[in-house]
Structures are given as structure tokens and as C-alpha cells.
């Protein structure tokens, strides 16, 4: 793979919020988690933890806990991603590591031809989601990835010009 | 690029801490920043800001502010990455977005054949680094990427088994 390849994947990735009914193959789910697993973290503490939800009843329960119910209901797989607060060594650095982990998973989903969206608003329902999944404390919900085969064309998006982002250059 | 491509880059990426004296081409630096620029963020608020430091005197000054002086001194480019706290809408989500941005930059560096390391310990010197760069408040140092052409073989690293990371699966 040349350098164009990865930058192209990065630039072409879009949030996908509409999915077909086609299930996501287990192997694809594993590859997405593998991508997350190989993210970097401070002191290599790997503070991310994953739930993998494909059960329609559970997905339906979770969909009631967010403003984005339709997106959750349309997805074929939900991956709630948690911070293991007992393995945390520095809150800001651990949260950054979880962000790196999430981005790896989004890029892998994109490269597999799947659609995915990083849901943030849903973390307001951290406790209820842990309740549904039967998870104890020590885990803090950071985001939920909703994944499926895309049923919409890539959306337009924009980014600030690089010159707006560079605060110093010598 | 097929799906194997990106997972391979993700899995092959290593922290590189020894660099040759060969400068990094401006175009490569731009491609790394481009990769960061296209990260996802909550409400697309793009809270990341970049400094680009290649001046040897400034790199030397910054090297005095970390335990990892040798790594900083050996690098050809430093990219201090800041959170624009005035653009922040939710601290945890913004910090995750900065983590996604950093990971994009590391992956792009890897795919360009460069070496890079995500430095976290150095953020203890946030105020002093902003002072050296002449930056005002409203920016919070999240990490520094040290970049150059690698002068070491890829190191060994490990990750937890996937089954240790999965807290729920239906």
C-alpha cells in the first residue's frame, strides 16, 4: 500500500447513519476490533474495552437511550466502547487513547466497505447501557460505534483549511 | 487499497524514537497534517490545533522540558498538538477527537515510511512550550508528535488478547 492509500481512506471516510438489513459477518466485526486493539496508548496500558451487540432486542433497548434512535435501530452491530477506569493512569491521555482506538475501528470499517458512525451523545446514558449489558462499575462509556452495510451515498462534509489549524510554524 | 492494507499499517505501526539526520520533506509534513485535519470530531468542531517545529534551536529548547530529551533532539520535526479550549463543546469528546487526529497522523507517517512517536509525558510542560512558541492561552497541549526518518528497526510490542478486551458479546 502506498501513502496515497491511507490518506485516501482517511479523507473518504464519512459518518454513515443508514444501513441495509444485511448482517455484518463475524469476521468483519473481528477485524474492526483488531484495528482497535492495535491502537497506541500511554505506557501501552490499553484502557479500551469493547461490547459487541447484534441482538435486535438489546439494540432496540439501547435505541431508547439516545436522541439518535433511528441510527441505532438501523445498525446491525453496536460496539459500545468503554474506558477501564481501573486501568487508567492519566485521564486525558487515556481518553485520547480511546479516541485513537475508535478512529482505527472507523478506518477499518471504511476499508471493509462497511458504514459506521461514532455516536457521542449516547454516553449520557452510560449507567443505563451498562445496566442493559449487565456490566459492573469500573467501566465508563466513551462512545458507541454503530455499524452496518451502508444504505446511503457518502455525504458531503467540510474541514477547516490547514492554515486555520496551524498556530505556529517556523 | 484492500482491507488488508489498512489493518496491516495499523498493526505494523510502532513508536520510533531514533531518527536519521535527513530532513523530512515539507510535502510529507503537509500530508501528515492533512491526515490529522480529516479526523472526525463531535459536531465536527475540529478542536485540534497544530504547531510545526523544525528549527533546531527551538527543538533544543523544547527537549529540555521532557524526560525524553534524546528523542526530541533526534527528531527532525515536532508537531505539538493542542486542544482549542475555546472551541471545546464537551471535554471528554473533544479529547477523544484529538486522539483520533493523532492516530491519523501516526498512520500517515507510517505509511510514508517515516518514523514517529506520540509523546505524552511532555504535556507537563504545556505552559513553557506555549511560551517558547509565543502562543496565548486558550490552547492546551495534548501531545507532541516527534517525527523523522527512522534509524532503528521496528520494535517488538504486545497487545492484550481480544478476549480480554471484550466485556460483553451476545
Amino acid at each position: 500500500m502506498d501513502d496515497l492509500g491511507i490518506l485516501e481512506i482517511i479523507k473518504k471516510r464519512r459518518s454513515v447513519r443508514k444501513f441495509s438489513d444485511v448482517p455484518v459477518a463475524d469476521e468483519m466485526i473481528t477485524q474492526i476490533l483488531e484495528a482497535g486493539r492495535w491502537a497506541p496508548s500511554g505506557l501501552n496500558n490499553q484502557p479500551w474495552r469493547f461490547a459487541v451487540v447484534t441482538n435486535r432486542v438489546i439494540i432496540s433497548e439501547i435505541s431508547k437511550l439516545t436522541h439518535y434512535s433511528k441510527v441505532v435501530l438501523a445498525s446491525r452491530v453496536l460496539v459500545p466502547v468503554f474506558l477501564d477506569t481501573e486501568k487508567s493512569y492519566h485521564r486525558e491521555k487515556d481518553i485520547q487513547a480511546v479516541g485513537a482506538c475508535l478512529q482505527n475501528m472507523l478506518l477499518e470499517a471504511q476499508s471493509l466497505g462497511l458504514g459506521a458512525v461514532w455516536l457521542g451523545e449516547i454516553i449520557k446514558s452510560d449507567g443505563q447501557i451498562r445496566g442493559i449489558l449487565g456490566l459492573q462499575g469500573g467501566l465508563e462509556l466513551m462512545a458507541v460505534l454503530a455499524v452496518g452495510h451502508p444504505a446511503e451515498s457518502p455525504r458531503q462534509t467540510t474541514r477547516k483549511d490547514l492554515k486555520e489549524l496551524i498556530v505556529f510554524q517556523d
Side-chain angles (χ1 to χ4, degrees), chain A residues 14-153:
Chain A
R14 292 289 179 280
S15 295
V16 173
R17 296 179 180 83
K18 294 179 181 170
F19 308 99
S20 80
D21 288 346
V22 178
V24 176
D26 286 349
E27 191 183 328
M28 285 185 173
I29 299 175
T30 302
Q31 281 184 268
I32 291 170
L33 300 177
E34 272 292 291
R37 185 169 83 94
W38 279 92
S41 54
L43 309 180
N44 196 22
N45 74 334
Q46 308 166 59
W48 40 75
R49 296 293 178 270
F50 309 125
V52 182
V53 183
T54 58
N55 181 293
R56 300 309 305 168
V57 175
I58 302 179
I59 288 176
S60 171
E61 285 301 305
I62 292 175
S63 77
K64 296 171 188 162
L65 302 172
T66 166
H67 182 68
Y68 301 98
S69 302
K70 282 188 184 170
V71 179
V72 169
L73 271 178
S75 73
R76 308 315 296 179
V77 188
L78 292 179
V79 182
V81 177
F82 299 91
L83 174 68
D84 185 337
T85 56
E86 289 169 12
K87 292 289 161 59
S88 181
Y89 88 107
H90 181 292
R91 184 163 171 84
E92 279 81 3
K93 293 175 192 174
D94 290 327
I95 293 175
Q96 288 179 47
V98 171
C101 169
L102 283 156
Q103 178 65 0
N104 272 4
M105 293 196 280
L106 288 176
L107 292 174
E108 178 60 15
Q110 169 80 13
S111 109
L112 288 168
L114 295 169
V117 60
W118 172 338
L119 299 173
E121 178 260 4
I122 197 170
I123 68 173
K124 69 183 181 188
S125 303
D126 182 8
Q128 288 158 284
I129 289 174
R130 280 187 287 108
I132 289 171
L133 302 178
L135 299 173
Q136 306 302 313
L139 296 173
E140 180 182 346
L141 186 62
M142 292 275 112
V144 175
L145 291 190
V147 183
H149 290 275
E152 62 176 340
S153 305

